[in-house]
Structure formats: structure tokens, C-alpha cells
Amino acid sequence: MDTAPRSDDAARPDEAEGLPLIRPSSVDHPLYDQVVEACRSVFDPEIPVNIYDLGLVYTIEIDAENAVNITMSLTAPGCPVAGEMPGWVADAVEPLPGVKQVDVHMTFDPPWGMEMMSDEARLELGFM
């Protein structure tokens, strides 16, 4: 009996055992902290906490040419500002000195959950 997986059974690379569901950020890049602070200036209009502390920013990747790629989510796919939020984030990050360009991508995989919030956000919202 052939037990080799067929191509339609093969796991996607991001689903491989041991790999994170959310790609790591460029935390060692000199612009990283500034990009995080810029993300903290963007708020979900329905929640009095910034999107970074809410855990909506999944990944901040900054390449050698200082191009910034941000992968983020929303608290729910039907969020009324879903079409506007990526632009707000790009508008907050783009003016930073040294940033070449900003691309913001939306994802719902993995879906956002309350466990993604920082302790500060939990405290602000009364969950601690």
C-alpha cells in the first residue's frame, strides 16, 4: 500500500508542524520600534485601545531597503472599518523618517482572539 501523501494532502508550508501561524516580525531592525509606536497611534473606533495592543498587528516586516510590510487583522471580518483600517495604518507609518514604502495586508488566518491582547489592553478594557 502506498502511504506517500498525494499533493492535495500535503500541508501548506505555514501549517507545517512547528512553524508559527503568524510570521515573526523584524524586531532587530532599527525602524521596528518607531513602526510599532506609529501603529499604536491607530485606534479601532469602537474600542478605546490602539490596534497594536489589541493584538491586531500580526507581523511587521522591514527589509534592507526599509520597505515595511504589515500583516494585520480585525476583531471581526465584518468590522465596519475593514476597508479603511489598512489605509490608516499606512498613513501612520509612511511619514516615519527612513521608511521607503508601506504595504498593509489583511488576514483572518489565524482569526483574532482576545488572548492576543496585551496586558495593558486587557486592563484598559476591564479584563484584568
Side-chain angles (χ1 to χ4, degrees):
M1 180 171 133
D2 184 11
T3 58
R6 297 188 322 253
S7 63
D8 58 343
D9 292 336
R12 293 187 347 219
D14 60 341
E15 293 174 340
E17 186 175 333
L19 292 180
L21 290 175
I22 298 172
R23 291 166 47 109
S25 293
S26 304
V27 296
D28 292 332
H29 194 284
L31 288 174
Y32 178 78
D33 290 336
Q34 294 172 57
V35 172
V36 167
E37 287 308 308
C39 289
R40 282 191 166 124
S41 73
V42 179
F43 285 75
D44 183 314
E46 297 177 340
I47 304 172
V49 176
N50 69 74
I51 62 166
Y52 188 84
D53 288 329
L54 275 175
L56 297 178
V57 176
Y58 287 1
T59 305
I60 298 170
E61 294 177 290
I62 309 168
D63 69 16
E65 286 80 38
N66 295 344
V68 179
N69 287 295
I70 298 173
T71 302
M72 64 172 294
S73 191
L74 299 170
T75 55
C79 178
V81 295
E84 299 170 62
M85 186 76 72
W88 296 347
V89 174
D91 289 346
V93 174
E94 229 163 19
L96 294 174
V99 170
K100 178 181 176 184
Q101 71 179 52
V102 180
D103 291 310
V104 180
H105 310 278
M106 295 293 297
T107 187
F108 295 100
D109 184 26
W112 176 85
M114 291 178 54
E115 70 281 356
M116 295 174 164
M117 290 191 290
S118 69
D119 287 344
E120 292 81 7
R122 292 172 200 260
L123 187 60
E124 178 72 26
L125 296 173
F127 294 119
M128 286 183 73

